[in-house]
Amino acid sequence: MTFINALPGALAQGLCWGIMALGVFLSYKILDFADLTVDGSLCTGAAVFSVLLNAGAGLAVAMICALLAGMLCGFVTGSLHSFAGIPPILAGILTQLALWSINLKIMGGSSTVAVSVRQHTLLVSALNMWQSIGILAAFTVVTIALMYWFFGTQYGCAIRATGCNEDMARSQGVNTGLTKVVGLTVSNGLVGLSGALLCQYQGAAEINMGRGAIIIGLAAVIIGGAIFSKIGKNFAVQMLGAVVGAIVYFV
């Protein structure tokens, strides 16, 4: 009974982290880039969201700013790698380490910033479990649809080509340095958005909430890939697999 009672919470958490898993899927599977920035950018999204919401900004504005903050983190990592020649793992580590101090500064020096559903209108909350699950499921479907559309465009295909074979993509005239930056920007934007959703669900932004996020993200991608491997290699199915992998991980 305890396991069954815990399932709705695991499902909600899995959907929150599933958006982050989509970001890891993009960097790990599509770009073939070992990006450790997510341990910091998840907290950045949550910190920006919580501070703006408590300052009186609307829910939509706070979430958009969390998305943009995550994108900025990815842009920094991509720039360190593409324009400064720093190896992928080291570039992510440098950004992640810097973000710990930056996140603490954003949160006003406090390790925790509370966000109460009783004081603010929130998209998801642990107090409204089933409603939150429905909203998160719809949010996930829309996110996957937008990513499917973007990576079907000419520039999206150039990003995918960069991850598949960088030398071949470069020989076809693709600016692979720029596509990596754009890919990592989008990836960490999703991670920042996931941080905002997770902040709402658990009712607070915490300075260490992103610690180990890359492990959860990679586990979700690998578990989802194993579950959906026999269904096919359709891009939308692979993205759905990453989200399902996150849910299975928390279950």
Side-chain angles (χ1 to χ4, degrees):
M1 282 299 294
T2 302
F3 174 73
I4 294 174
N5 292 334
L7 283 178
L11 177 58
Q13 274 194 297
L15 287 169
C16 284
W17 286 90
I19 303 297
M20 186 274 299
L22 287 174
V24 174
F25 171 83
L26 172 53
S27 60
Y28 177 65
K29 282 288 190 179
I30 303 302
L31 279 177
D32 193 24
F33 191 104
D35 183 24
L36 300 182
T37 312
V38 296
D39 280 21
S41 57
L42 183 83
C43 181
T44 302
V48 169
F49 174 83
S50 60
V51 169
L52 285 177
L53 196 68
N54 286 326
L59 176 66
V61 172
M63 289 192 67
I64 291 172
C65 288
L67 170 69
L68 294 175
M71 292 177 72
L72 181 59
C73 298
F75 176 80
V76 171
T77 299
S79 298
L80 288 174
H81 170 64
S82 296
F83 305 135
I86 298 175
I89 292 180
L90 181 56
I93 290 173
L94 289 174
T95 307
Q96 177 200 133
L97 289 175
L99 282 174
W100 198 91
S101 298
I102 293 171
N103 293 339
L104 197 60
K105 185 69 174 179
I106 292 172
M107 296 165 69
S110 174
S111 61
T112 304
V113 177
V115 174
S116 174
V117 69
R118 295 183 177 88
Q119 296 177 351
H120 306 285
T121 301
L122 301 180
L123 197 63
V124 295
S125 171
L127 298 179
N128 302 314
M129 187 68 69
W130 289 108
Q131 177 184 330
S132 298
I133 290 173
I135 292 173
L136 286 168
F139 197 89
T140 300
V141 170
V142 171
T143 303
I144 291 176
L146 288 173
M147 287 184 66
Y148 186 79
W149 166 80
F150 174 71
F151 285 101
T153 63
Q154 184 175 359
Y155 200 81
C157 288
I159 295 175
R160 294 169 70 178
T162 299
C164 288
N165 192 323
E166 184 175 351
D167 292 333
M168 180 61 74
R170 191 182 298 113
S171 70
Q172 296 298 316
V174 175
N175 186 338
T176 56
L178 185 58
T179 53
K180 285 183 180 180
V181 173
V182 173
L184 289 171
T185 299
V186 174
S187 169
N188 281 278
L190 292 172
V191 176
L193 191 59
S194 173
L197 291 171
L198 194 60
C199 171
Q200 294 176 66
Y201 177 76
Q202 65 184 24
E206 298 174 332
I207 191 64
N208 290 317
M209 66 186 296
R211 183 169 293 178
I214 186 62
I215 304 300
I216 296 174
L218 289 174
V221 171
I222 293 169
I223 292 170
I227 294 174
F228 284 76
S229 59
K230 295 183 179 179
I231 297 178
K233 294 189 176 182
N234 180 274
F235 189 58
V237 172
Q238 289 182 314
M239 289 189 290
L240 179 61
V243 177
V244 172
I247 294 172
V248 172
Y249 178 90
F250 279 95
V251 170

